[in-house]
Amino acid sequence: MKVLFWVNYFPTLSETFIRNQIIDLINNEIEVYILCRQKNNDKQGIEGFEKYDLLNKTFDFKEIVPSTKSEKVKSFFKIFISNFFSRDFIYFFNYVKLFFLDRKKYSLKYFFLLNYILKNKIDVIHCHFGPNGNEAVFLKKIKVPIKLVCTFHGYDIRLGIKNGGSFYTDLFDYADSIISISSFNKEMLLSFGLNEEKIEDLNNGVELVNEIGVKNNDCKVINILSVGRLVEEKGYDLALNAISIFHEKYPDFNFHYDIIGGGKLEEKLKIKCNDLKLNSVVTFHLAQNSDYVKRKMVEADLFFLSSINEAIPTVILEAQSYSVPVIATNVGSVKDLVINNVTGFLTNVSENDIVDGLRKMFENKEKWQEYGLNARKNIIFNYDREVLIKKLIKLYKKNI
């Protein structure tokens, strides 16, 4: 079976769930191709990139679309004529009709992508993020015999909320399956008008690690860890305000707060940290590779998520796979992972509520090991990568 992943950027340090899914498919003898809007040339520290030869499996439109107008026209006629007597000609012909019917929406780049897909005999197109699914719909409109699957995550759900459910009407009509990674996403997809029969519940999986460590609840300095891009929806501005209040209000609680992640808010957050006089208790590690993140997970006593918008953050799953208790804001489907006084604590999206949640965590240090073990059990039963990839392959093969 041949599967083409349609993603935004590849590889990226932040979207480990996509890379893991690709690697797991390859390990299960699925041939994978990766189409991205733009290749990320910084591959340093991308786990599995070299081992699985992902570079040679990845391409963007610039690699399949001729660079000049004259070359595009010449290549177009060459492909069209050379396939005149092939059984694939009907798909090229259908695309040309679609192109002339809606030239504002379609361009020749999709003609060359169609050629690539037919040439490589792709069986399944798996889009990650709704807008990529919207683009891939043209293949179903021209009746190419492929299965179209799309996984919704976070920002694409927010786009649907912002633009109205009709934003994904074509995708919902033509896709074979829409994957929901959380109860929140499923609720929103249904509200957008998606037929429930097309929804497949399939969580993002994480690896069950051995290096869970033993938390020393009597340690002098508590290590609090956050991992995520430095962007508005991750709520680091809120986190720093809460940490500042907590540090001032409870001076006897000795802790250090590590933030791993890069992004456009880096300078703004560093200035804020300095203004709040938090430089002694907060360290920005910026973007780091997976090995670095793993080391910090092992060292962490608590994981802290301060997001103001999420679906189901994979980073919480990763923390829980290391048996790390979690304090998190109650957004999206976070409540499915963080259960009060069982795996950690949930808080509302406010400084005072986060401060109160941190207080509860610190006052329940004797339960941290229990919280962590409860969280790990949830990963074992519901988010094991090995189990979930089997379900995905079964979905691919359904009705093929």
Side-chain angles (χ1 to χ4, degrees):
M1 176 178 286
K2 296 183 177 182
V3 177
L4 185 144
F5 268 56
W6 192 324
V7 300
N8 291 329
Y9 302 94
F10 193 82
T12 63
L13 285 168
S14 60
E15 294 175 356
T16 56
F17 47 89
I18 294 177
R19 182 202 65 214
N20 290 345
Q21 207 169 68
I22 290 170
I23 288 173
D24 291 343
L25 288 172
I26 294 172
N27 286 338
N28 281 272
E29 300 182 346
I30 301 295
E31 193 170 344
V32 178
Y33 300 73
I34 306 156
L35 167 64
C36 59
R37 295 180 184 276
Q38 183 178 324
K39 279 187 179 181
N40 181 0
N41 293 322
D42 183 12
K43 298 178 285 293
Q44 184 179 3
I46 305 292
E47 184 181 13
F49 197 85
E50 300 297 337
K51 177 182 177 182
Y52 290 89
D53 195 27
L54 297 186
L55 178 63
N56 288 325
K57 302 179 190 300
T58 305
F59 67 99
D60 58 25
F61 280 104
K62 289 184 292 185
E63 295 177 63
I64 60 172
V65 179
S67 57
T68 67
K69 186 175 181 179
S70 62
E71 289 173 342
K72 287 177 186 176
V73 173
K74 182 179 178 180
S75 184
F76 166 81
F77 281 109
K78 182 179 178 180
I79 293 169
F80 196 75
I81 293 170
S82 65
N83 282 280
F84 192 81
F85 294 106
S86 76
R87 62 186 195 176
D88 288 337
F89 180 74
I90 186 62
Y91 309 123
F92 292 108
F93 181 72
N94 287 345
Y95 182 75
V96 171
K97 288 197 298 182
L98 186 66
F99 171 74
F100 282 109
L101 282 171
D102 195 352
R103 294 187 64 174
K104 289 184 178 180
K105 187 171 184 179
Y106 299 103
S107 68
L108 283 181
K109 77 173 185 178
Y110 296 116
F111 179 87
F112 295 111
L113 176 59
L114 170 63
N115 182 56
Y116 182 93
I117 288 168
L118 294 173
K119 185 178 177 180
N120 288 284
K121 303 184 186 312
I122 302 298
D123 299 298
V124 178
I125 305 286
H126 186 163
C127 299
H128 277 272
F129 304 103
N132 293 327
N134 278 350
E135 286 195 67
V137 159
F138 84 92
L139 292 160
K140 302 294 283 188
K141 287 186 175 182
I142 62 175
K143 304 186 186 307
V144 178
I146 52 96
K147 173 167 276 191
L148 177 58
V149 177
C150 184
T151 298
F152 276 75
H153 295 278
Y155 94 87
D156 44 5
I157 291 291
R158 293 192 291 275
L159 275 177
I161 295 171
K162 179 181 178 181
N163 296 305
S166 61
F167 187 68
Y168 296 117
T169 296
D170 274 3
L171 175 59
F172 292 168
D173 286 344
Y174 284 95
D176 294 280
S177 297
I178 300 293
I179 294 176
S180 167
I181 63 168
S182 68
S183 59
F184 173 76
N185 275 17
K186 184 173 184 177
E187 179 184 338
M188 296 313 302
L189 288 166
L190 290 171
S191 75
F192 296 161
L194 177 60
N195 185 333
E196 188 168 7
E197 291 182 0
K198 285 194 175 184
I199 297 182
E200 297 287 342
D201 296 306
L202 191 68
N203 305 317
N204 286 334
V206 292
E207 181 182 5
L208 290 172
V209 296
N210 296 319
E211 311 96 318
I212 62 173
V214 177
K215 305 305 172 189
N216 180 6
N217 297 348
D218 296 322
C219 57
K220 293 182 179 179
V221 180
I222 301 302
N223 294 315
I224 304 175
L225 176 65
S226 289
V227 180
R229 292 172 297 122
L230 305 182
V231 293
E232 286 87 352
E233 57 263 32
K234 298 302 180 182
Y236 284 117
D237 195 72
L238 173 68
L240 290 176
N241 286 336
I243 287 290
S244 176
I245 296 170
F246 182 73
H247 187 45
E248 183 176 347
K249 194 171 182 179
Y250 302 103
D252 292 338
F253 292 145
N254 198 3
F255 67 91
H256 192 87
Y257 180 33
D258 293 300
I259 300 173
I260 300 177
K264 62 183 180 180
L265 297 184
E266 176 188 335
E267 290 306 315
K268 178 183 176 182
L269 291 171
K270 285 182 175 179
I271 290 170
K272 184 179 187 69
C273 186
N274 185 64
D275 291 344
L276 292 172
K277 298 180 173 54
L278 290 175
N279 290 331
S280 63
V281 295
V282 177
T283 300
F284 289 91
H285 297 259
L286 303 184
Q288 298 292 339
N289 62 38
S290 54
D291 286 337
Y292 189 95
V293 174
K294 286 178 181 179
R295 290 199 302 272
K296 299 304 287 186
M297 287 286 190
V298 172
E299 296 169 2
D301 297 295
L302 303 175
F303 189 86
F304 176 26
L305 182 125
S306 56
S307 294
I308 58 176
N309 269 309
E310 284 285 0
I312 190 163
T314 304
V315 69
I316 285 185
L317 301 176
E318 292 170 347
Q320 291 184 329
S321 73
Y322 286 87
S323 294
V324 180
V326 176
I327 175 171
T329 45
N330 187 11
V331 294
S333 290
V334 171
K335 62 182 179 295
D336 294 342
L337 304 178
V338 182
I339 304 168
N340 280 316
N341 209 25
V342 176
T343 65
F345 284 97
L346 276 177
T347 81
N348 293 321
V349 183
S350 78
E351 295 168 7
N352 289 335
D353 283 327
I354 291 173
V355 169
D356 192 52
L358 286 167
R359 175 189 62 78
K360 289 177 182 176
M361 286 292 274
F362 275 72
E363 289 178 351
N364 284 275
K365 285 173 65 176
E366 73 282 357
K367 293 186 177 181
W368 287 359
Q369 189 166 358
E370 178 186 339
Y371 292 161
L373 291 174
N374 289 338
R376 185 172 168 85
K377 288 177 184 176
N378 184 40
I379 300 301
I380 292 170
F381 289 118
N382 298 302
Y383 299 95
D384 184 346
R385 273 172 60 181
E386 290 187 15
V387 173
L388 294 174
I389 203 64
K390 301 293 185 186
K391 290 183 179 180
L392 181 61
I393 294 171
K394 185 178 181 180
L395 172 62
Y396 288 162
K397 293 181 175 180
K398 184 179 179 181
N399 298 328
I400 285 185

